[in-house]
Amino acid sequence: ATAALAHLDRLRDGALDSTLSHMRAVAEQSGLAVPDSIDGWGEQLDMLAGIRQALDVFKPMVFERSADQMVAATATPEWRQAADIEMGRMDRNRLRKQAKDMVRPGVVVPDLHAALVHLQAQREIWIRWNPTGAWPKLPEDMALIDAEYRSVRADLDALDVVVAQPEGSPRLAELALAELAARLDRLQASRGTLAHIPTIHRVTKQLTEMGLGELLADLRHRRLGLPPHRLEPGAELDDAVPSVEGLLADAPRDRELAELAGFELDLAWWSSVLGFILQSDPLLGAYNGDTLAALIDSYRELDLAHVATKPGPIRAAVIARRDEVRRTHPGQAGALESMTPATPLRTVMTVSPDMALAARPCWIAGPMLVPLALPLAEVSAPLVDIVILDAVGQVSVAQAASALARGSQVLAVGDSARLAEAPSSAGSALVDFLPKVTLTAPPSRRDPRLARFLAEHGYPTFGRPLPLPARGNLVAFTAVDGVARVMPGNGAVESSDAEVEAVVREAVTHVRLRGAESLAIIAVGAVHAERVRDAIDQAASGVPELAAALRTDNVEPLVVAGVEHLTGIVRDAVIFTPGFAKTPHGHVIYDFGPLGAPGGESLLLDALTAARHRLSVVSCLASTDLAPARLKEPGTKLFAEVLAFAAAPAASAAPSEQAGDALLADLASRIAGRGFTVASRYGLHDGARIPLAVSHPSLPERELVAVLTDDPGFVREPSVRVQARLRSAELERLGWRTVQAWSPAIFMDPEAEAQTIAAAAWEELEKLRPGIRSSRG
């Protein structure tokens, strides 16, 4: 290393600059071109030395024309015969005389033919360097110039030995002069590295003796710790020694690089431990990424098949029960078979109660029809095993009593958040003594912000909102510039012409752009709902898409309803139109109809929960138009919150700022290296998060793949069905493509896992953008 520095110092301390100066001077004196490398300079000096030897024998004019004829004339007959040259005696004599005339006076030439051969060779070299053919002019101090060249060439050759070069790359003496100077400058700048070489070699030897030679070779191959500017070709002294020197050189980064080396050593150690475990238990080694994926896919298929088999045994049990009752009560069976469809149901249940219930074990009826359908007077025991009461918050105790009396078990289903508004309901009476089970609604394509808003207002069962793959705001607010239609008599706001027109425009836009999504238009007041309904019917005559959406034979036809008549109404998209507006004088009348009455808050929440996917609020009033002090009832206060919520900018899902798992971070970087954008712990604030979300720059408006792993949340889940199937099924229901990446597989073969995920992302991208394959790198 010390010798290499000495060579470098001589070159940078003037030797190379002096050589370049002599090159230019010789070019000016001799008319030659300046060489482009040190090798070229050596060739030029050799040529000038040969010419000097020739000029010591011959006069300069000999370079004016070729000496080929004189060479042949002075040669032996055998030479001419071998060269197939015929030349007469007179010509030979004439040419010999010319050659002798070219010899400098006083010079004795023992072998004129050999001298002429050397002369011709030097002339050809001279013409290559000076095509003009002028007489050569030799510079002064040739001996000094040649000695300087030999010294510079020796220094460069010595550096060639210690400076690592890619295979096939030129030697230092072969480089262009500007590139050579720049490379020597870089060598000079990195001379501090050489001070660490003894330590590096000592550490390298120790680590190799400890069995870490392969790890060092891997670190050297991956150039551990070298920043990008040192990865460029030309950082020779960094490459001249094992690149583990990066752990010791560059003092300001010592701690950072040592920590990085520690991570690498830790990873290698755990990999070795894992390899030892896998060797001792081959069964574990069989569970790579593909095997685990196949195993979980097999479980999902079997679980779905198991669920699909449930109707079969139930149907068989019903048939067996029916046959048993037929044998036990043959009279009832005969009577039932003799009846016609016109026989009253009460007669059927009076004559053949056991047989009728065995033939049709499930009955659905409104509370007022239960006594007519299932009379109790003729039987002494409950008629059915279980009575399910739905919407118990909307049924009185008197209405539910007849149903309760007919079953040995009761299951009451209702909204616990609404029971306080209906103290006389059956739900309020039953909630105090029946065991309670809370059901969480499955994730929907509803805007996650809306799900969180509902959870904050008494609907926590909607769960933590899951992010949707498509980016964009699913809650919109349309501000309408309109005035109120005031009802005569009480002065309350009836509706707004401008708002009705805006709702119709919104509905037409929806059916034309998103016709596959069902639509409901929900108004607050009955009068406003009726006016919107009439306007929609009128517009349908000129808009075929609107007329098609209104057809009653649709699975979910377009419907217009007031907030007081929303039972059972759920649609993909909802347009909520309050119908309130300022008076022509610019005043707000704080009479909000049903919203200001008891239960108004629940009516408004029902309107919001009616939207599965998209909510659009069309209103002449904004939240800023309402004075909080004038809003007394819960429904009116919530109304102001809804207006503010809908008008607020959307908060898009984003990666978490918290540090993620190291394995996933490594996997994310490998996926990103394949051209994708990867977000870690993707989701909304305080919402459920996806370990990795993969997207592509060519489709920024949508995520492509959700990568699920066996993270702590997965491990804490006690249900294998939820772990293996339902968690991914929930995301797939929202439109995600899911890939399960298991931590053992990520640890053992991260490249294979990254490739699997990237392939799934490419497939999704090709579905959404069919032409993308042609541009895949």
Side-chain angles (χ1 to χ4, degrees):
T2 303
L5 270 182
H7 292 300
L8 179 64
D9 288 341
R10 279 196 297 273
L11 290 169
R12 300 307 299 148
D13 290 346
L16 183 62
D17 290 340
S18 177
T19 297
L20 296 177
S21 176
H22 282 139
M23 285 183 185
R24 291 188 288 269
V26 168
E28 291 176 0
Q29 294 176 24
S30 63
L32 300 173
V34 177
D36 58 359
S37 67
I38 296 298
D39 265 2
W41 175 233
E43 292 178 7
Q44 197 174 90
L45 289 179
D46 289 343
M47 179 265 300
L48 292 173
I51 290 177
R52 166 165 292 222
Q53 293 178 6
L55 292 180
D56 286 343
V57 176
F58 297 98
K59 299 175 183 177
M61 68 181 66
V62 76
F63 282 87
E64 289 183 349
R65 62 180 183 270
S66 174
D68 285 344
Q69 294 292 318
M70 290 185 287
V71 169
T74 57
T76 64
E78 293 78 13
W79 186 96
R80 286 193 295 273
Q81 184 178 1
D84 196 21
I85 296 176
E86 294 183 2
M87 185 176 291
R89 184 172 185 178
M90 294 181 61
D91 291 335
R92 292 199 304 272
N93 291 336
R94 177 176 55 81
L95 290 170
R96 287 195 191 100
K97 184 177 183 308
Q98 288 179 2
K100 291 177 181 179
D101 291 342
M102 293 292 181
V103 176
R104 299 176 70 88
V107 175
V108 178
V109 183
D111 188 345
L112 184 59
H113 173 74
L116 289 171
V117 170
H118 177 264
L119 170 66
Q120 181 61 14
Q122 298 306 314
R123 183 180 181 279
E124 291 176 356
I125 296 175
W126 171 258
I127 291 175
R128 285 205 307 269
W129 285 95
N130 190 341
T132 62
W135 291 4
K137 298 177 182 178
L138 297 179
E140 301 176 356
D141 300 326
M142 276 292 297
L144 176 63
I145 292 174
D146 187 71
E148 181 186 66
Y149 158 73
R150 303 295 172 189
S151 174
V152 168
R153 180 58 185 266
D155 287 334
L156 293 177
D157 290 344
L159 285 178
D160 269 327
V161 176
V162 297
V163 175
Q165 299 279 11
E167 186 177 353
S169 60
R171 295 177 295 105
L172 294 175
E174 296 174 339
L175 295 176
L177 295 174
E179 185 178 352
L180 173 63
R183 186 161 293 188
L184 293 178
D185 287 342
R186 288 197 294 271
L187 287 170
Q188 183 79 1
S190 62
R191 64 183 295 145
T193 303
L194 293 176
H196 300 287
I197 286 182
T199 303
I200 292 167
H201 282 292
R202 184 178 67 253
V203 172
T204 301
K205 181 180 179 182
Q206 292 173 350
L207 294 177
T208 302
E209 292 173 350
M210 295 169 61
L212 298 177
E214 292 185 14
L215 175 62
L216 289 179
D218 176 64
L219 301 183
R220 184 183 301 114
H221 175 70
R222 292 190 288 115
R223 303 171 69 84
L224 172 71
L226 295 181
H229 72 275
R230 292 171 67 185
L231 295 178
E232 298 174 359
E236 286 82 6
L237 285 185
D238 287 336
D239 297 336
V241 295
S243 62
V244 71
E245 111 263 329
L247 301 176
L248 302 171
D250 201 356
R253 298 190 302 120
D254 276 355
R255 277 194 295 273
E256 175 188 348
L257 294 177
E259 183 179 5
L260 180 59
F263 290 150
E264 293 283 344
L265 179 61
D266 191 54
L267 175 62
W269 190 88
W270 280 107
S271 298
S272 301
V273 171
L274 181 61
F276 179 78
I277 293 173
L278 296 178
Q279 287 178 356
S280 62
D281 189 349
L283 183 61
L284 290 176
Y287 286 100
N288 55 25
D290 293 338
T291 304
L292 290 170
L295 184 64
I296 202 67
D297 289 343
S298 175
Y299 172 82
R300 289 172 182 167
E301 293 175 3
L302 291 173
D303 190 49
L304 289 172
H306 170 69
V307 173
T309 62
K310 290 296 184 182
I314 295 173
R315 189 176 296 110
V318 170
I319 294 172
R321 169 65 178 163
R322 183 194 63 192
D323 294 342
E324 179 185 355
V325 173
R326 183 191 298 272
R327 290 191 299 270
T328 306
H329 302 282
Q332 289 189 25
L336 185 61
E337 291 173 356
S338 65
M339 296 178 186
T340 67
T343 304
L345 183 59
R346 187 178 185 87
T347 302
V348 174
M349 293 304 300
T350 301
V351 176
S352 304
D354 298 294
M355 194 65 210
L357 290 174
R360 292 290 182 267
C362 296
W363 294 64
I364 301 175
M368 304 303 293
L369 296 178
V370 170
L372 299 176
L374 301 173
L376 266 183
E378 292 77 7
V379 296
S380 59
L383 289 174
V384 296
D385 297 316
I386 182 169
V387 172
I388 301 176
L389 297 175
D390 191 16
V392 290
Q394 302 177 29
V395 181
S396 67
V397 174
Q399 292 172 326
S402 59
L404 294 172
R406 283 160 172 77
S408 57
Q409 300 179 78
V410 173
L411 174 61
V413 182
D415 184 356
S416 58
R418 305 284 293 273
L419 295 181
E421 301 171 4
S424 61
S425 66
S428 297
L430 296 172
V431 72
D432 293 332
F433 62 87
L434 287 183
K436 301 178 186 63
V437 176
T438 300
L439 300 180
T440 300
S444 68
R445 294 170 62 244
R446 181 183 288 115
D447 190 300
R449 291 194 311 128
L450 178 56
R452 188 165 56 190
F453 182 86
L454 292 171
E456 293 170 353
H457 291 82
Y459 283 85
T461 55
F462 281 108
R464 299 174 69 197
L466 287 173
L468 299 175
R471 300 171 188 168
N473 190 11
L474 298 177
V475 176
F477 180 82
T478 301
V480 181
D481 185 11
V483 296
R485 289 172 51 126
V486 182
M487 297 179 64
N490 61 7
V493 172
E494 182 182 43
S495 184
S496 167
D497 294 340
E499 191 166 318
V500 172
E501 295 172 2
V503 169
V504 173
R505 288 195 300 270
E506 190 90 8
V508 170
T509 301
H510 176 87
V511 297
R512 283 178 171 170
L513 298 182
R514 295 181 290 271
E517 296 182 7
S518 59
L519 175 65
I521 302 174
I522 300 176
V524 171
V527 173
H528 185 56
E530 188 63 31
R531 295 191 67 231
V532 171
R533 187 179 299 109
D534 292 341
I536 290 291
D537 290 340
Q538 184 176 356
S541 60
V543 182
E545 297 90 345
L546 196 58
L550 287 167
R551 290 179 52 177
T552 56
D553 57 347
N554 290 335
V555 176
E556 290 184 345
L558 190 157
V559 64
V560 181
V563 293
E564 296 176 288
H565 304 90
L566 291 181
T567 303
I569 295 179
V570 179
R571 296 293 187 270
D572 295 327
V574 165
I575 299 175
F576 177 64
T577 169
F580 306 118
K582 294 180 180 179
T583 66
H585 302 289
H587 301 298
V588 175
I589 299 177
Y590 287 85
D591 181 353
F592 297 115
L595 301 184
E601 183 181 20
S602 297
L603 294 176
L604 187 51
L605 289 173
D606 283 346
L608 300 183
T609 57
R612 291 195 196 98
H613 184 50
R614 200 182 305 274
L615 172 68
S616 177
V617 178
V618 180
S619 175
C620 290
L621 291 182
S623 61
T624 54
D625 297 326
L626 305 178
R630 299 287 302 275
L631 303 174
K632 306 296 185 182
E633 297 79 11
T636 58
K637 293 178 181 179
L638 180 61
F639 175 55
E641 291 185 46
V642 169
L643 294 179
F645 161 75
S652 59
S656 171
E657 297 180 357
Q658 299 178 358
D661 180 83
L663 273 181
L664 287 185
D666 177 70
L667 179 63
S669 68
R670 295 172 188 271
I671 300 170
R674 288 165 166 81
F676 293 95
T677 303
V678 186
S680 298
R681 302 189 67 245
Y682 179 80
L684 290 170
H685 177 65
D686 294 335
R689 291 190 176 271
I690 296 171
L692 294 180
V694 182
S695 60
H696 194 269
S698 67
L699 197 66
E701 68 274 13
R702 183 181 174 88
E703 301 293 328
L704 299 173
V705 170
V707 180
L708 306 179
T709 70
D710 46 348
D711 52 16
F714 177 93
V715 175
R716 286 194 299 267
E717 174 56 54
S719 170
V720 177
R721 175 174 287 160
V722 173
Q723 286 179 330
R725 184 169 67 84
L726 296 185
R727 190 171 69 146
S728 59
E730 288 178 348
L731 291 171
E732 290 166 2
R733 190 181 300 117
L734 301 182
W736 285 92
R737 165 79 176 269
T738 63
V739 175
Q740 183 78 38
W742 302 94
S743 53
I746 300 174
F747 188 88
M748 289 188 288
D749 195 350
E751 274 297 306
E753 292 300 299
Q755 182 58 38
T756 298
I757 295 166
W762 274 120
E763 289 178 7
E764 288 302 302
L765 188 59
E766 289 164 0
K767 290 178 186 176
L768 298 169
R769 293 187 58 197
I772 192 67
R773 179 176 292 275
S774 62
S775 62
R776 278 179 68 170

